[in-house]
Amino acid sequence: MSAVLDPHGHAAGDHGHDHAHDHPHGWRRWVFATNHKDIGTLYLLFSFTMLMVGGILALLIRAELFQPGLQLVNPELFNQFTTMHGLIMVFGAIMPAFVGFANWMLPLQIGASDMAFARMNNFSFWLMIPAAIMLVASFFMPGGAPAAGWTLYAPLTLQMGPSMDAGIFAMHILGASSIMGSINIIVTVLNMRAPGMTLMKMPMFAWTWLITAYLLIAVMPVLAGAITMTLTDRHFGTSFFNPAGGGDPIMYQHIFWFFGHPEVYIMILPAFGIISQIVPAFARKRLFGYTSMVYATGSIAILSFIVWAHHMFTTGMPVTGQLFFMYATMLIAVPTGVKIFNWIATMWRGSMTFETPMLFAVGFIFVFTMGGFTGLILSVAPIDIQLQDTYYVVAHFHYVLVAGSLFALFAGFYYWVPKWTGVMYSEARGKFHFWASLITFNVTFFPMHFLGLAGMPRRYADYPMQFADFNMWASVGAFGFGLSQVYFFLFVVLPAMRGKGEKAATLPWEGAEGLEWEVPSPAPFHTFENPPKLNANATKVIG
């Protein structure tokens, strides 16, 4: 048995106990990791690696589009880049990063000693490595990587080479990893909260992840079904999506987007949770409208299941169907608006300071709102029919996913890294990273709205001269944005991992509340082996 630790991480009882098996060192610590903090770290490092891989593909796309004409790659390879960029960023970078945050923070926030299923936690991480290798290795297979777009639409997927099968297998493995991680999160949050922490006293990050985990369990099997049907169409003579055999390629779109739209919220709800932790801390006020935030999160999750076909307005949908999906999509703006107004109301008349986490949080609210408005514009069927598959759509979802999910991840990193590493990051470097990211992001993606309105289609390797100037600006901005993230890793992440910097206090942020701020910095290997006793607000430890 391992030694029991009190809430402050000190061993109780036998101090002569041998801890060698308790806190393994070297490669065994990471390969056989069952500690939620180690697994969280592994997820975060993996996701950043995949962010760099996906980012290189994005920069190759932007280098090709820097000016008209074919510069660097042929159109087939260009389509492989766009497809793999999307798959790697969604399934390899954004989702694993949020799972990393969940692993690190949920047990600390709810006073649990660890995640519920420690070995399954290890398995769900290590499944991602072969899947990622398979995805990236598909470039070196006969015919190159999948080039059907990240949505893997039939009938294109039925015509791809063997790399398509590798891609399908990789997606299955990543899906299995997500489902196991979600089961772990649900059981941990529902069964392992400290005594006195009711559901309605949980931190918002715990709430958003609980709801996200249910979404993942609901929709990952739907994706698995769609890609399995694609696989049987390719090799086993079925005709689910093959018109020559009586199949329907539009059916694939229905099945895919029934997964794909909740997936969008899977990538943004944990971001909402992170922002809901940071804004109150730096406004030095309690979160405004906590209960309405919980209900809004649940509403977004439920509504996400009834809006999938707004991706399909140009597929010959009857007008009645267009009207339903148009109004259902507009309805999602209501709970999302509730969240934004709650964050603004929390900041209103607060004693605000603007350290790097708060800068990223405010930047998130501003730029995510812009992305939300362009989504509202695209929900209007007649407008969407004009803008379908143009760069306006590319601009919209990058505003939501990059300035949404990614900025929230950066905000969460700066907010919690003192607790993870025990050292404070350099505030000057953090602020440089924020301003460089915000400016270059907008230089990259804002011109794409105009390109889309002017009619430039997405996924094209070449374009006429009238689109040249905006594309040039977008490419310059993209390289600036990429370099900003390299700067972040070299000058913020690495020094923190090496413990370089001034020592962090147990509570580095004056307005922060929650159990994670009750343990020392850095957080001990084991925390809360004895459940903490909570006060009436479920925030402070008594004694």
Side-chain angles (χ1 to χ4, degrees):
M1 287 291 289
S2 61
V4 175
L5 296 156
D6 66 17
H8 301 289
H10 303 303
D14 181 13
H15 292 284
H17 191 82
D18 177 15
H19 283 274
H21 70 288
D22 203 34
H23 188 163
H25 294 282
W27 61 270
R28 280 186 179 80
R29 173 178 175 181
W30 301 103
V31 172
F32 302 122
T34 52
N35 182 281
H36 71 97
K37 302 177 184 75
D38 284 354
I39 293 173
T41 303
L42 286 170
Y43 267 110
L44 291 171
L45 289 171
F46 169 82
S47 71
F48 192 83
T49 306
M50 297 307 281
L51 183 78
M52 292 293 103
V53 174
I56 289 166
L57 295 176
L59 295 184
L60 288 167
I61 292 167
R62 285 315 322 170
E64 176 56 58
L65 294 172
F66 181 71
Q67 58 189 32
L70 293 176
Q71 331 296 325
L72 306 172
V73 297
N74 61 32
E76 290 79 17
L77 188 56
F78 183 86
N79 282 348
Q80 293 172 33
F81 287 163
T82 53
T83 302
M84 297 306 291
H85 165 72
L87 289 174
I88 286 169
M89 287 302 203
V90 170
F91 296 102
I94 299 295
M95 287 172 67
F98 281 126
V99 178
F101 272 86
N103 266 293
W104 243 108
M105 298 315 304
L106 286 180
L108 288 179
Q109 288 192 326
I110 64 175
S113 58
D114 207 306
M115 298 294 280
F117 305 116
R119 286 188 179 83
M120 187 166 85
N121 208 9
N122 175 289
F123 188 45
S124 63
F125 170 75
W126 284 109
L127 275 179
M128 304 191 78
I129 305 298
I133 291 169
M134 241 190 302
L135 271 180
V136 176
S138 64
F139 277 108
F140 306 104
M141 293 180 184
W150 85 276
T151 52
L152 306 177
Y153 274 179
L156 286 173
T157 43
L158 309 182
Q159 301 158 10
M160 294 282 138
S163 65
M164 191 70 230
D165 303 319
I168 288 171
F169 194 36
M171 302 296 289
H172 271 301
I173 296 172
L174 290 167
S177 168
S178 290
I179 289 170
M180 283 194 286
S182 301
I183 292 168
N184 217 342
I185 286 165
I186 290 169
V187 176
T188 304
V189 170
L190 293 184
N191 289 359
M192 298 182 67
R193 300 190 307 281
M197 180 173 283
T198 61
L199 283 174
M200 294 308 282
K201 288 178 180 173
M202 285 199 308
M204 270 309 300
F205 182 65
W207 257 116
T208 53
W209 244 118
L210 177 65
I211 291 168
T212 301
Y214 277 112
L215 278 180
L216 273 164
I217 288 173
V219 301
M220 292 313 288
V222 178
L223 175 67
I227 58 179
T228 303
M229 291 154 87
T230 303
L231 192 71
T232 60
D233 274 12
R234 285 169 54 81
H235 296 292
F236 300 108
T238 58
S239 293
F240 292 113
F241 311 129
N242 185 357
D248 183 5
I250 301 298
M251 182 171 77
Y252 177 86
Q253 293 192 30
H254 277 292
I255 301 169
F256 179 86
W257 285 116
F258 191 79
F259 148 80
H261 206 80
E263 167 68 18
V264 174
Y265 295 99
I266 285 163
M267 289 188 284
I268 202 66
L269 289 182
F272 290 164
I274 291 172
I275 302 303
S276 300
Q277 302 291 127
I278 292 171
V279 169
F282 292 92
R284 290 160 181 80
K285 283 171 64 184
R286 301 299 292 274
L287 180 67
F288 179 89
Y290 171 92
T291 309
S292 63
M293 284 291 243
V294 172
Y295 284 119
T297 309
S299 306
I300 289 171
I302 292 162
L303 289 170
S304 72
F305 284 101
I306 61 164
V307 298
W308 77 90
H310 67 209
H311 298 267
M312 301 170 55
F313 283 145
T314 55
T315 57
M317 189 188 300
V319 173
T320 317
Q322 291 186 13
L323 281 171
F324 170 81
F325 286 106
M326 181 167 90
Y327 292 139
T329 305
M330 289 177 176
L331 200 57
I332 281 199
V334 177
T336 312
V338 166
K339 287 183 168 297
I340 290 165
F341 283 122
N342 282 12
W343 292 324
I344 293 169
T346 306
M347 290 189 273
W348 178 252
R349 302 186 76 170
S351 305
M352 286 210 291
T353 52
F354 291 96
E355 290 88 348
T356 310
M358 187 60 164
L359 283 177
F360 269 108
V362 174
F364 166 93
I365 294 168
F366 170 65
V367 194
F368 174 80
T369 304
M370 289 172 63
F373 275 126
T374 55
L376 205 53
I377 289 164
L378 288 169
S379 74
V380 182
I383 300 176
D384 183 79
I385 288 165
Q386 291 296 309
L387 297 175
Q388 168 84 7
D389 268 343
T390 68
Y391 266 78
Y392 191 91
V393 178
V394 177
H396 154 68
F397 67 70
H398 281 88
Y399 263 78
V400 176
L401 280 179
V402 182
S405 301
L406 193 62
F407 275 23
L409 287 163
F410 288 146
F413 171 85
Y414 284 107
Y415 182 57
W416 281 310
V417 78
K419 187 56 63 186
W420 297 348
T421 63
V423 294
M424 290 299 290
Y425 60 88
S426 159
E427 196 63 60
R429 290 175 181 178
K431 286 182 172 164
F432 176 81
H433 174 225
F434 167 73
W435 288 111
S437 296
L438 185 75
I439 292 164
T440 54
F441 167 80
N442 281 289
V443 170
T444 306
F445 293 105
F446 200 76
M448 291 186 190
H449 293 103
F450 301 118
L451 286 170
L453 289 167
M456 180 173 169
R458 65 200 269 203
R459 297 178 182 155
Y460 276 39
D462 192 9
Y463 54 87
M465 199 67 205
Q466 75 233 40
F467 301 134
D469 289 351
F470 281 143
N471 267 302
M472 181 195 73
W473 278 112
S475 292
V476 169
F479 277 87
F481 188 76
L483 287 172
S484 304
Q485 309 329 313
V486 174
Y487 174 89
F488 165 68
F489 186 74
L490 293 179
F491 298 108
V492 179
V493 177
L494 282 183
M497 287 171 69
R498 289 175 179 156
K500 292 181 178 174
E502 66 175 92
K503 182 140 177 35
T506 298
L507 183 62
W509 313 116
E510 186 189 320
E513 283 193 339
L515 290 180
E516 70 261 41
W517 306 112
E518 304 291 330
V519 300
S521 300
F525 191 69
H526 291 294
T527 41
F528 298 133
E529 285 210 356
N530 294 329
K533 294 186 176 70
L534 308 183
N535 65 13
N537 294 324
T539 51
K540 291 282 191 291
V541 178
I542 300 169

